[in-house]
Amino acid sequence: MGVVTYEFEVTSLVAPTRLFKAFVLEGAKVYPKAAPHAIKSVELEGDGKPGSIVKINFVEGLPFQYMKHMIGGHDESNLSYSYSLIEGGPLGDKLEKISYENQFVADASGGSVCKSSIKFYTVGDYVITEDEIKALIQRSEVVYKAIEAYLLANTDACN
């Protein structure tokens, strides 16, 4: 097994506290509303604390039926959270898991920056390429931008 770490940032016009709330605290209800073309439903197995499982079910026609995340934790005061993709989605037979650490920080324009560190845990001696990593990140950014657009269109959401 190998581990590859990749870091990236995504900017947003939305304040960091609203994004944190949309992604972490209210994700189960926000995701299907923000991305109905991709996300059918979100289920929580557990109490939402570290070790709980979040199952995201996708609409038919997408490459994946579902994916499961294990919650690592979140810190409301620092607007940070962590989780690991442990089943489904892009894991296949080449990735054991993908772990994410994210933090929303304010920027000078009143919006925010999401700083992410991702660790890809490969199976056996498989080496993930930078192109594969970028393709996985692009999929994540599509959902990120859908949630941003939802929050911009629904100013009363996640306040």
Side-chain angles (χ1 to χ4, degrees):
M1 172 177 73
V3 180
V4 175
T5 301
Y6 193 86
E7 296 186 8
F8 75 102
E9 295 181 352
V10 180
T11 60
S12 175
L13 299 172
V14 178
T17 52
R18 286 187 71 209
L19 283 173
F20 179 82
K21 196 169 187 181
F23 277 95
V24 180
L25 304 178
E26 296 184 19
K29 71 178 187 183
V30 171
Y31 286 17
K33 289 178 184 177
H37 58 284
I39 299 173
K40 182 172 31 176
S41 64
V42 178
E43 303 167 27
L44 177 63
E45 301 170 13
D47 58 7
K49 293 182 180 171
S52 296
I53 304 295
V54 176
K55 181 180 181 187
I56 300 172
N57 298 297
F58 297 105
V59 298
E60 292 196 28
L62 291 182
F64 314 119
Q65 292 180 336
Y66 74 95
M67 60 185 178
K68 287 187 177 183
H69 295 158
M70 179 183 292
I71 297 172
H74 66 271
D75 181 345
E76 286 188 62
S77 63
N78 289 318
L79 303 178
S80 63
Y81 67 104
S82 63
Y83 64 94
S84 293
L85 172 58
I86 58 167
E87 185 179 316
L91 292 181
D93 60 353
K94 297 178 180 175
L95 294 171
E96 177 186 325
K97 70 179 179 177
I98 304 172
S99 294
Y100 301 80
E101 292 185 19
N102 301 299
Q103 182 177 24
F104 296 104
V105 296
D107 71 6
S109 70
S112 60
V113 177
C114 178
K115 297 181 177 192
S116 296
S117 177
I118 306 172
K119 290 184 180 177
F120 298 87
Y121 294 81
T122 59
V123 173
D125 57 1
Y126 175 72
V127 177
I128 190 168
T129 67
E130 188 162 342
D131 286 342
E132 289 173 304
I133 290 171
K134 287 180 180 178
L136 291 170
I137 289 171
Q138 279 183 320
R139 286 186 190 143
S140 297
E141 286 180 330
V142 168
V143 173
Y144 184 91
K145 290 300 180 182
I147 290 173
E148 176 189 43
Y150 172 80
L151 294 174
L152 289 170
N154 297 277
T155 56
D156 59 331
C158 300
N159 284 315

